Amino acid sequence: MSEEFGPDFISVTDEDGNEFELELVDTLEHNGITYYAMFPAVAENEETGEPVDVDADDEEYGLVIMKVIEENGEELLSTPDTDEELDEIYNLFMERFFEDEEE
């Protein structure tokens, strides 16, 4: 029996109240913190259901890294606190992505 699973999507609301959807690509735990690697979800044409072309050079399109934090007993997503933390986690995800490609 074959089971198919689709991609995981997460809806995120930014500090300005704008909601957008991200596709979860990978997760990792580092120093006791869980990080998510995500890409903006590809929109579909409402009439045809086909994916809408995305400009990969657009600054709104690219890898999004967020971490899970707990606030008032609730899990929330937050951006890494420093550029150094972001760079370290980005490099860990890239190592994992390239390991998967080589296999």
Side-chain angles (χ1 to χ4, degrees), residues 94-103:
M94 289 300 107
E95 286 174 17
R96 289 173 66 147
F97 293 155
F98 288 117
E99 281 177 9
D100 290 345
E101 261 186 29
E102 290 174 2
E103 291 176 4

Side-chain angles (χ1 to χ4, degrees), residues 11 13 22 25 27 29 31-32 34 38-39 44-45 56 61 68-70 80 82-85 101 103:
S11 291
T13 305
L22 299 170
V25 178
T27 63
E29 188 165 325
N31 293 335
T34 301
M38 301 173 281
F39 282 106
E44 289 183 356
N45 181 310
Y61 185 82
V68 178
I69 60 170
E70 191 169 312
T82 64
D83 287 342
E84 291 79 17
E85 179 185 13
E101 261 186 29
E103 291 176 4

Side-chain angles (χ1 to χ4, degrees), residues 64-78:
V64 176
I65 296 176
M66 300 189 87
K67 66 181 181 178
V68 178
I69 60 170
E70 191 169 312
E71 192 172 287
N72 299 325
E74 185 178 346
E75 285 189 349
L76 303 173
L77 291 177
S78 177

Side-chain angles (χ1 to χ4, degrees), residues 10-26:
I10 297 173
S11 291
V12 178
T13 305
D14 67 13
E15 61 273 355
D16 297 326
N18 301 313
E19 190 171 315
F20 52 99
E21 200 164 287
L22 299 170
E23 181 179 350
L24 181 62
V25 178
D26 197 4

Side-chain angles (χ1 to χ4, degrees), residues 8 15 28 46 55 59-60 62 65-66 75 77-79 86 89 93 100:
D8 290 325
E15 61 273 355
L28 70 81
E46 290 181 19
D55 180 2
E59 90 178 32
E60 295 296 315
I65 296 176
M66 300 189 87
E75 285 189 349
L77 291 177
S78 177
T79 56
L86 177 61
I89 301 306
F93 275 120
D100 290 345

